[in-house]
PDB file of all heavy atoms in Angstrom:
ATOM      1  N   ASP B 495      -6.074  -6.522 -16.538  1.00  0.00           N
ATOM      2  CA  ASP B 495      -5.632  -7.819 -16.240  1.00  0.00           C
ATOM      3  C   ASP B 495      -4.627  -7.823 -15.063  1.00  0.00           C
ATOM      4  O   ASP B 495      -4.495  -8.690 -14.260  1.00  0.00           O
ATOM      5  CB  ASP B 495      -4.998  -8.568 -17.477  1.00  0.00           C
ATOM      6  CG  ASP B 495      -6.060  -9.167 -18.444  1.00  0.00           C
ATOM      7  OD1 ASP B 495      -7.279  -9.029 -18.060  1.00  0.00           O
ATOM      8  OD2 ASP B 495      -5.684  -9.525 -19.459  1.00  0.00           O
ATOM      9  N   TYR B 496      -3.690  -6.762 -15.177  1.00  0.00           N
ATOM     10  CA  TYR B 496      -2.590  -6.744 -14.198  1.00  0.00           C
ATOM     11  C   TYR B 496      -2.891  -6.016 -12.954  1.00  0.00           C
ATOM     12  O   TYR B 496      -3.034  -6.624 -11.886  1.00  0.00           O
ATOM     13  CB  TYR B 496      -1.323  -6.201 -14.915  1.00  0.00           C
ATOM     14  CG  TYR B 496      -0.123  -6.201 -14.142  1.00  0.00           C
ATOM     15  CD1 TYR B 496       0.573  -7.461 -14.049  1.00  0.00           C
ATOM     16  CD2 TYR B 496       0.447  -5.157 -13.501  1.00  0.00           C
ATOM     17  CE1 TYR B 496       1.681  -7.569 -13.255  1.00  0.00           C
ATOM     18  CE2 TYR B 496       1.592  -5.291 -12.730  1.00  0.00           C
ATOM     19  CZ  TYR B 496       2.294  -6.477 -12.656  1.00  0.00           C
ATOM     20  OH  TYR B 496       3.372  -6.592 -11.916  1.00  0.00           O
ATOM     21  N   TRP B 497      -3.253  -4.709 -13.080  1.00  0.00           N
ATOM     22  CA  TRP B 497      -3.651  -3.853 -11.827  1.00  0.00           C
ATOM     23  C   TRP B 497      -5.013  -4.347 -11.304  1.00  0.00           C
ATOM     24  O   TRP B 497      -5.142  -4.357 -10.057  1.00  0.00           O
ATOM     25  CB  TRP B 497      -3.594  -2.455 -12.158  1.00  0.00           C
ATOM     26  CG  TRP B 497      -2.248  -1.798 -12.290  1.00  0.00           C
ATOM     27  CD1 TRP B 497      -1.486  -1.286 -11.275  1.00  0.00           C
ATOM     28  CD2 TRP B 497      -1.322  -1.821 -13.423  1.00  0.00           C
ATOM     29  NE1 TRP B 497      -0.269  -0.869 -11.680  1.00  0.00           N
ATOM     30  CE2 TRP B 497      -0.169  -1.105 -12.996  1.00  0.00           C
ATOM     31  CE3 TRP B 497      -1.376  -2.200 -14.699  1.00  0.00           C
ATOM     32  CZ2 TRP B 497       1.012  -0.904 -13.882  1.00  0.00           C
ATOM     33  CZ3 TRP B 497      -0.377  -1.952 -15.566  1.00  0.00           C
ATOM     34  CH2 TRP B 497       0.818  -1.432 -15.120  1.00  0.00           C
ATOM     35  N   GLY B 498      -5.916  -4.658 -12.275  1.00  0.00           N
ATOM     36  CA  GLY B 498      -7.203  -5.093 -11.717  1.00  0.00           C
ATOM     37  C   GLY B 498      -7.099  -6.479 -10.926  1.00  0.00           C
ATOM     38  O   GLY B 498      -7.801  -6.599  -9.895  1.00  0.00           O
ATOM     39  N   LYS B 499      -6.206  -7.212 -11.390  1.00  0.00           N
ATOM     40  CA  LYS B 499      -6.023  -8.603 -10.728  1.00  0.00           C
ATOM     41  C   LYS B 499      -5.477  -8.278  -9.301  1.00  0.00           C
ATOM     42  O   LYS B 499      -5.951  -9.039  -8.327  1.00  0.00           O
ATOM     43  CB  LYS B 499      -5.026  -9.392 -11.468  1.00  0.00           C
ATOM     44  CG  LYS B 499      -4.639 -10.653 -10.871  1.00  0.00           C
ATOM     45  CD  LYS B 499      -5.558 -11.775 -11.011  1.00  0.00           C
ATOM     46  CE  LYS B 499      -5.095 -13.053 -10.496  1.00  0.00           C
ATOM     47  NZ  LYS B 499      -6.128 -14.032 -10.214  1.00  0.00           N
ATOM     48  N   MET B 500      -4.646  -7.331  -9.169  1.00  0.00           N
ATOM     49  CA  MET B 500      -4.117  -7.001  -7.799  1.00  0.00           C
ATOM     50  C   MET B 500      -5.301  -6.492  -6.860  1.00  0.00           C
ATOM     51  O   MET B 500      -5.374  -6.957  -5.651  1.00  0.00           O
ATOM     52  CB  MET B 500      -3.119  -5.944  -7.776  1.00  0.00           C
ATOM     53  CG  MET B 500      -1.667  -6.338  -8.300  1.00  0.00           C
ATOM     54  SD  MET B 500      -0.439  -5.080  -8.032  1.00  0.00           S
ATOM     55  CE  MET B 500      -0.070  -4.489  -9.707  1.00  0.00           C
ATOM     56  N   ILE B 501      -6.210  -5.793  -7.405  1.00  0.00           N
ATOM     57  CA  ILE B 501      -7.401  -5.403  -6.655  1.00  0.00           C
ATOM     58  C   ILE B 501      -8.240  -6.580  -6.280  1.00  0.00           C
ATOM     59  O   ILE B 501      -8.696  -6.688  -5.134  1.00  0.00           O
ATOM     60  CB  ILE B 501      -8.205  -4.266  -7.364  1.00  0.00           C
ATOM     61  CG1 ILE B 501      -7.343  -2.972  -7.562  1.00  0.00           C
ATOM     62  CG2 ILE B 501      -9.516  -4.057  -6.618  1.00  0.00           C
ATOM     63  CD1 ILE B 501      -8.094  -1.906  -8.203  1.00  0.00           C
ATOM     64  N   ASP B 502      -8.385  -7.421  -7.311  1.00  0.00           N
ATOM     65  CA  ASP B 502      -9.201  -8.728  -6.928  1.00  0.00           C
ATOM     66  C   ASP B 502      -8.548  -9.419  -5.757  1.00  0.00           C
ATOM     67  O   ASP B 502      -9.277 -10.123  -5.015  1.00  0.00           O
ATOM     68  CB  ASP B 502      -9.149  -9.582  -8.265  1.00  0.00           C
ATOM     69  CG  ASP B 502     -10.052  -9.113  -9.404  1.00  0.00           C
ATOM     70  OD1 ASP B 502     -10.822  -8.083  -9.084  1.00  0.00           O
ATOM     71  OD2 ASP B 502      -9.928  -9.560 -10.432  1.00  0.00           O
ATOM     72  N   MET B 503      -7.243  -9.350  -5.742  1.00  0.00           N
ATOM     73  CA  MET B 503      -6.532 -10.110  -4.719  1.00  0.00           C
ATOM     74  C   MET B 503      -6.407  -9.418  -3.380  1.00  0.00           C
ATOM     75  O   MET B 503      -5.830  -9.769  -2.379  1.00  0.00           O
ATOM     76  CB  MET B 503      -5.142 -10.507  -5.202  1.00  0.00           C
ATOM     77  CG  MET B 503      -5.114 -11.499  -6.272  1.00  0.00           C
ATOM     78  SD  MET B 503      -3.456 -11.919  -6.944  1.00  0.00           S
ATOM     79  CE  MET B 503      -2.905 -12.903  -5.459  1.00  0.00           C
ATOM     80  N   GLY B 504      -7.071  -8.102  -3.298  1.00  0.00           N
ATOM     81  CA  GLY B 504      -7.207  -7.454  -2.023  1.00  0.00           C
ATOM     82  C   GLY B 504      -6.347  -6.172  -1.968  1.00  0.00           C
ATOM     83  O   GLY B 504      -6.232  -5.731  -0.832  1.00  0.00           O
ATOM     84  N   ALA B 505      -5.753  -5.681  -3.020  1.00  0.00           N
ATOM     85  CA  ALA B 505      -4.832  -4.553  -2.888  1.00  0.00           C
ATOM     86  C   ALA B 505      -5.577  -3.341  -2.450  1.00  0.00           C
ATOM     87  O   ALA B 505      -6.578  -2.921  -3.088  1.00  0.00           O
ATOM     88  CB  ALA B 505      -4.114  -4.285  -4.250  1.00  0.00           C
ATOM     89  N   ASP B 506      -5.065  -2.623  -1.465  1.00  0.00           N
ATOM     90  CA  ASP B 506      -5.491  -1.284  -1.076  1.00  0.00           C
ATOM     91  C   ASP B 506      -4.594  -0.266  -1.786  1.00  0.00           C
ATOM     92  O   ASP B 506      -5.010   0.831  -2.015  1.00  0.00           O
ATOM     93  CB  ASP B 506      -5.277  -1.088   0.379  1.00  0.00           C
ATOM     94  CG  ASP B 506      -6.232  -1.959   1.184  1.00  0.00           C
ATOM     95  OD1 ASP B 506      -7.429  -2.082   0.880  1.00  0.00           O
ATOM     96  OD2 ASP B 506      -5.765  -2.704   2.010  1.00  0.00           O
ATOM     97  N   THR B 507      -3.293  -0.696  -2.065  1.00  0.00           N
ATOM     98  CA  THR B 507      -2.320   0.030  -2.789  1.00  0.00           C
ATOM     99  C   THR B 507      -1.683  -0.958  -3.724  1.00  0.00           C
ATOM    100  O   THR B 507      -1.694  -2.099  -3.336  1.00  0.00           O
ATOM    101  CB  THR B 507      -1.386   0.739  -1.776  1.00  0.00           C
ATOM    102  OG1 THR B 507      -0.842  -0.245  -0.845  1.00  0.00           O
ATOM    103  CG2 THR B 507      -1.966   1.949  -1.058  1.00  0.00           C
ATOM    104  N   PHE B 508      -0.991  -0.564  -4.666  1.00  0.00           N
ATOM    105  CA  PHE B 508      -0.397  -1.447  -5.545  1.00  0.00           C
ATOM    106  C   PHE B 508       1.071  -1.766  -5.124  1.00  0.00           C
ATOM    107  O   PHE B 508       1.657  -1.043  -4.441  1.00  0.00           O
ATOM    108  CB  PHE B 508      -0.377  -0.844  -7.121  1.00  0.00           C
ATOM    109  CG  PHE B 508      -1.731  -0.806  -7.656  1.00  0.00           C
ATOM    110  CD1 PHE B 508      -2.260   0.250  -8.274  1.00  0.00           C
ATOM    111  CD2 PHE B 508      -2.599  -2.044  -7.700  1.00  0.00           C
ATOM    112  CE1 PHE B 508      -3.623   0.348  -8.829  1.00  0.00           C
ATOM    113  CE2 PHE B 508      -3.866  -2.014  -8.106  1.00  0.00           C
ATOM    114  CZ  PHE B 508      -4.374  -0.876  -8.728  1.00  0.00           C
ATOM    115  N   TRP B 509       1.530  -2.966  -5.724  1.00  0.00           N
ATOM    116  CA  TRP B 509       2.616  -3.537  -5.125  1.00  0.00           C
ATOM    117  C   TRP B 509       3.975  -3.349  -5.829  1.00  0.00           C
ATOM    118  O   TRP B 509       3.974  -3.071  -7.027  1.00  0.00           O
ATOM    119  CB  TRP B 509       2.341  -5.141  -5.002  1.00  0.00           C
ATOM    120  CG  TRP B 509       1.018  -5.407  -4.481  1.00  0.00           C
ATOM    121  CD1 TRP B 509       0.238  -4.660  -3.555  1.00  0.00           C
ATOM    122  CD2 TRP B 509       0.235  -6.550  -4.817  1.00  0.00           C
ATOM    123  NE1 TRP B 509      -0.975  -5.247  -3.331  1.00  0.00           N
ATOM    124  CE2 TRP B 509      -1.033  -6.425  -4.053  1.00  0.00           C
ATOM    125  CE3 TRP B 509       0.395  -7.682  -5.576  1.00  0.00           C
ATOM    126  CZ2 TRP B 509      -2.014  -7.393  -4.029  1.00  0.00           C
ATOM    127  CZ3 TRP B 509      -0.629  -8.682  -5.583  1.00  0.00           C
ATOM    128  CH2 TRP B 509      -1.793  -8.500  -4.880  1.00  0.00           C
ATOM    129  N   GLU B 510       5.005  -3.568  -5.172  1.00  0.00           N
ATOM    130  CA  GLU B 510       6.385  -3.597  -5.749  1.00  0.00           C
ATOM    131  C   GLU B 510       6.491  -4.733  -6.744  1.00  0.00           C
ATOM    132  O   GLU B 510       7.149  -4.551  -7.731  1.00  0.00           O
ATOM    133  CB  GLU B 510       7.366  -3.859  -4.531  1.00  0.00           C
ATOM    134  CG  GLU B 510       8.745  -4.045  -4.930  1.00  0.00           C
ATOM    135  CD  GLU B 510       9.605  -4.377  -3.687  1.00  0.00           C
ATOM    136  OE1 GLU B 510       9.015  -5.000  -2.726  1.00  0.00           O
ATOM    137  OE2 GLU B 510      10.670  -4.028  -3.708  1.00  0.00           O
ATOM    138  N   ALA B 511       5.883  -5.899  -6.397  1.00  0.00           N
ATOM    139  CA  ALA B 511       6.155  -7.047  -7.230  1.00  0.00           C
ATOM    140  C   ALA B 511       4.810  -7.764  -7.379  1.00  0.00           C
ATOM    141  O   ALA B 511       4.055  -7.958  -6.408  1.00  0.00           O
ATOM    142  CB  ALA B 511       7.101  -8.021  -6.539  1.00  0.00           C
ATOM    143  N   PHE B 512       4.501  -8.193  -8.581  1.00  0.00           N
ATOM    144  CA  PHE B 512       3.354  -8.975  -8.930  1.00  0.00           C
ATOM    145  C   PHE B 512       3.624  -9.744 -10.177  1.00  0.00           C
ATOM    146  O   PHE B 512       3.814  -9.124 -11.258  1.00  0.00           O
ATOM    147  CB  PHE B 512       2.072  -8.166  -8.979  1.00  0.00           C
ATOM    148  CG  PHE B 512       0.847  -9.022  -9.253  1.00  0.00           C
ATOM    149  CD1 PHE B 512       0.624 -10.083  -8.590  1.00  0.00           C
ATOM    150  CD2 PHE B 512       0.006  -8.605 -10.275  1.00  0.00           C
ATOM    151  CE1 PHE B 512      -0.535 -10.935  -8.882  1.00  0.00           C
ATOM    152  CE2 PHE B 512      -1.129  -9.384 -10.606  1.00  0.00           C
ATOM    153  CZ  PHE B 512      -1.491 -10.494  -9.822  1.00  0.00           C
ATOM    154  N   LYS B 513       3.483 -11.042 -10.158  1.00  0.00           N
ATOM    155  CA  LYS B 513       3.680 -11.941 -11.250  1.00  0.00           C
ATOM    156  C   LYS B 513       2.362 -12.690 -11.466  1.00  0.00           C
ATOM    157  O   LYS B 513       2.061 -13.576 -10.598  1.00  0.00           O
ATOM    158  CB  LYS B 513       4.823 -12.915 -10.973  1.00  0.00           C
ATOM    159  CG  LYS B 513       5.808 -13.169 -12.001  1.00  0.00           C
ATOM    160  CD  LYS B 513       6.737 -14.253 -11.619  1.00  0.00           C
ATOM    161  CE  LYS B 513       8.229 -13.966 -11.745  1.00  0.00           C
ATOM    162  NZ  LYS B 513       9.046 -15.091 -11.496  1.00  0.00           N
ATOM    163  N   PRO B 514       1.537 -12.302 -12.407  1.00  0.00           N
ATOM    164  CA  PRO B 514       0.188 -12.877 -12.492  1.00  0.00           C
ATOM    165  C   PRO B 514       0.177 -14.458 -12.560  1.00  0.00           C
ATOM    166  O   PRO B 514      -0.673 -15.084 -12.017  1.00  0.00           O
ATOM    167  CB  PRO B 514      -0.503 -12.263 -13.690  1.00  0.00           C
ATOM    168  CG  PRO B 514       0.305 -11.024 -13.860  1.00  0.00           C
ATOM    169  CD  PRO B 514       1.720 -11.221 -13.395  1.00  0.00           C
ATOM    170  N   GLU B 515       1.234 -14.901 -13.280  1.00  0.00           N
ATOM    171  CA  GLU B 515       1.303 -16.331 -13.451  1.00  0.00           C
ATOM    172  C   GLU B 515       1.911 -17.119 -12.182  1.00  0.00           C
ATOM    173  O   GLU B 515       1.819 -18.322 -12.156  1.00  0.00           O
ATOM    174  CB  GLU B 515       2.172 -16.755 -14.695  1.00  0.00           C
ATOM    175  CG  GLU B 515       3.706 -16.553 -14.530  1.00  0.00           C
ATOM    176  CD  GLU B 515       4.224 -15.083 -14.636  1.00  0.00           C
ATOM    177  OE1 GLU B 515       3.421 -14.169 -14.604  1.00  0.00           O
ATOM    178  OE2 GLU B 515       5.506 -15.048 -14.916  1.00  0.00           O
ATOM    179  N   ASP B 516       2.225 -16.348 -11.207  1.00  0.00           N
ATOM    180  CA  ASP B 516       2.806 -16.935 -10.026  1.00  0.00           C
ATOM    181  C   ASP B 516       2.489 -15.883  -8.913  1.00  0.00           C
ATOM    182  O   ASP B 516       3.399 -15.277  -8.294  1.00  0.00           O
ATOM    183  CB  ASP B 516       4.277 -17.121 -10.182  1.00  0.00           C
ATOM    184  CG  ASP B 516       5.001 -17.692  -8.914  1.00  0.00           C
ATOM    185  OD1 ASP B 516       4.254 -18.215  -8.025  1.00  0.00           O
ATOM    186  OD2 ASP B 516       6.245 -17.645  -8.832  1.00  0.00           O
ATOM    187  N   PRO B 517       1.248 -15.885  -8.521  1.00  0.00           N
ATOM    188  CA  PRO B 517       0.730 -14.764  -7.652  1.00  0.00           C
ATOM    189  C   PRO B 517       1.486 -14.773  -6.239  1.00  0.00           C
ATOM    190  O   PRO B 517       1.469 -13.726  -5.560  1.00  0.00           O
ATOM    191  CB  PRO B 517      -0.713 -14.989  -7.472  1.00  0.00           C
ATOM    192  CG  PRO B 517      -1.096 -16.159  -8.251  1.00  0.00           C
ATOM    193  CD  PRO B 517       0.152 -16.815  -8.881  1.00  0.00           C
ATOM    194  N   ASN B 518       2.041 -15.873  -5.776  1.00  0.00           N
ATOM    195  CA  ASN B 518       2.721 -15.850  -4.492  1.00  0.00           C
ATOM    196  C   ASN B 518       4.128 -15.615  -4.601  1.00  0.00           C
ATOM    197  O   ASN B 518       4.913 -15.686  -3.584  1.00  0.00           O
ATOM    198  CB  ASN B 518       2.494 -17.170  -3.756  1.00  0.00           C
ATOM    199  CG  ASN B 518       0.983 -17.383  -3.347  1.00  0.00           C
ATOM    200  OD1 ASN B 518       0.428 -16.416  -2.871  1.00  0.00           O
ATOM    201  ND2 ASN B 518       0.528 -18.525  -3.495  1.00  0.00           N
ATOM    202  N   PHE B 519       4.652 -15.257  -5.718  1.00  0.00           N
ATOM    203  CA  PHE B 519       6.003 -14.822  -5.968  1.00  0.00           C
ATOM    204  C   PHE B 519       6.458 -13.772  -5.006  1.00  0.00           C
ATOM    205  O   PHE B 519       5.761 -12.738  -4.858  1.00  0.00           O
ATOM    206  CB  PHE B 519       6.285 -14.422  -7.405  1.00  0.00           C
ATOM    207  CG  PHE B 519       7.628 -13.716  -7.630  1.00  0.00           C
ATOM    208  CD1 PHE B 519       8.747 -14.583  -7.851  1.00  0.00           C
ATOM    209  CD2 PHE B 519       7.736 -12.403  -7.690  1.00  0.00           C
ATOM    210  CE1 PHE B 519       9.933 -14.035  -7.976  1.00  0.00           C
ATOM    211  CE2 PHE B 519       9.032 -11.841  -7.892  1.00  0.00           C
ATOM    212  CZ  PHE B 519      10.078 -12.589  -8.009  1.00  0.00           C
ATOM    213  N   SER B 520       7.600 -13.845  -4.365  1.00  0.00           N
ATOM    214  CA  SER B 520       8.277 -12.835  -3.743  1.00  0.00           C
ATOM    215  C   SER B 520       9.644 -12.740  -4.063  1.00  0.00           C
ATOM    216  O   SER B 520      10.348 -13.887  -4.220  1.00  0.00           O
ATOM    217  CB  SER B 520       8.227 -13.037  -2.150  1.00  0.00           C
ATOM    218  OG  SER B 520       9.233 -12.208  -1.482  1.00  0.00           O
ATOM    219  N   PRO B 521      10.264 -11.716  -4.435  1.00  0.00           N
ATOM    220  CA  PRO B 521      11.561 -11.579  -4.846  1.00  0.00           C
ATOM    221  C   PRO B 521      12.609 -11.859  -3.686  1.00  0.00           C
ATOM    222  O   PRO B 521      13.765 -11.972  -3.919  1.00  0.00           O
ATOM    223  CB  PRO B 521      11.782 -10.093  -5.347  1.00  0.00           C
ATOM    224  CG  PRO B 521      10.660  -9.241  -4.784  1.00  0.00           C
ATOM    225  CD  PRO B 521       9.524 -10.306  -4.578  1.00  0.00           C
ATOM    226  N   TYR B 522      11.999 -11.881  -2.453  1.00  0.00           N
ATOM    227  CA  TYR B 522      12.958 -11.881  -1.391  1.00  0.00           C
ATOM    228  C   TYR B 522      12.801 -13.179  -0.520  1.00  0.00           C
ATOM    229  O   TYR B 522      13.398 -13.168   0.591  1.00  0.00           O
ATOM    230  CB  TYR B 522      12.564 -10.756  -0.380  1.00  0.00           C
ATOM    231  CG  TYR B 522      12.534  -9.355  -1.143  1.00  0.00           C
ATOM    232  CD1 TYR B 522      11.389  -8.708  -1.224  1.00  0.00           C
ATOM    233  CD2 TYR B 522      13.644  -8.965  -1.797  1.00  0.00           C
ATOM    234  CE1 TYR B 522      11.308  -7.514  -1.913  1.00  0.00           C
ATOM    235  CE2 TYR B 522      13.655  -7.731  -2.532  1.00  0.00           C
ATOM    236  CZ  TYR B 522      12.490  -7.018  -2.552  1.00  0.00           C
ATOM    237  OH  TYR B 522      12.340  -5.885  -3.335  1.00  0.00           O
ATOM    238  N   GLY B 523      12.154 -14.100  -0.919  1.00  0.00           N
ATOM    239  CA  GLY B 523      12.081 -15.422  -0.217  1.00  0.00           C
ATOM    240  C   GLY B 523      10.917 -15.421   0.686  1.00  0.00           C
ATOM    241  O   GLY B 523      10.531 -16.440   1.319  1.00  0.00           O
ATOM    242  N   SER B 524      10.282 -14.332   1.039  1.00  0.00           N
ATOM    243  CA  SER B 524       9.102 -14.300   1.937  1.00  0.00           C
ATOM    244  C   SER B 524       8.368 -13.007   1.608  1.00  0.00           C
ATOM    245  O   SER B 524       8.937 -11.903   1.508  1.00  0.00           O
ATOM    246  CB  SER B 524       9.458 -14.262   3.291  1.00  0.00           C
ATOM    247  OG  SER B 524       8.428 -13.835   4.199  1.00  0.00           O
ATOM    248  N   PRO B 525       6.982 -13.088   1.447  1.00  0.00           N
ATOM    249  CA  PRO B 525       6.232 -11.848   1.346  1.00  0.00           C
ATOM    250  C   PRO B 525       6.381 -10.829   2.498  1.00  0.00           C
ATOM    251  O   PRO B 525       5.993  -9.721   2.349  1.00  0.00           O
ATOM    252  CB  PRO B 525       4.786 -12.303   1.192  1.00  0.00           C
ATOM    253  CG  PRO B 525       4.783 -13.705   1.798  1.00  0.00           C
ATOM    254  CD  PRO B 525       6.161 -14.323   1.624  1.00  0.00           C
TER     255      PRO B 525
END
Side-chain angles (χ1 to χ4, degrees):
Chain B
D495 282 354
Y496 190 74
W497 282 268
K499 174 80 175 161
M500 284 193 251
I501 293 181
D502 290 346
M503 293 179 73
D506 299 305
T507 48
F508 290 127
W509 315 332
E510 173 185 29
F512 179 49
K513 229 187 221 184
E515 75 277 18
D516 177 14
N518 288 319
F519 169 79
S520 161
Y522 310 117
S524 163

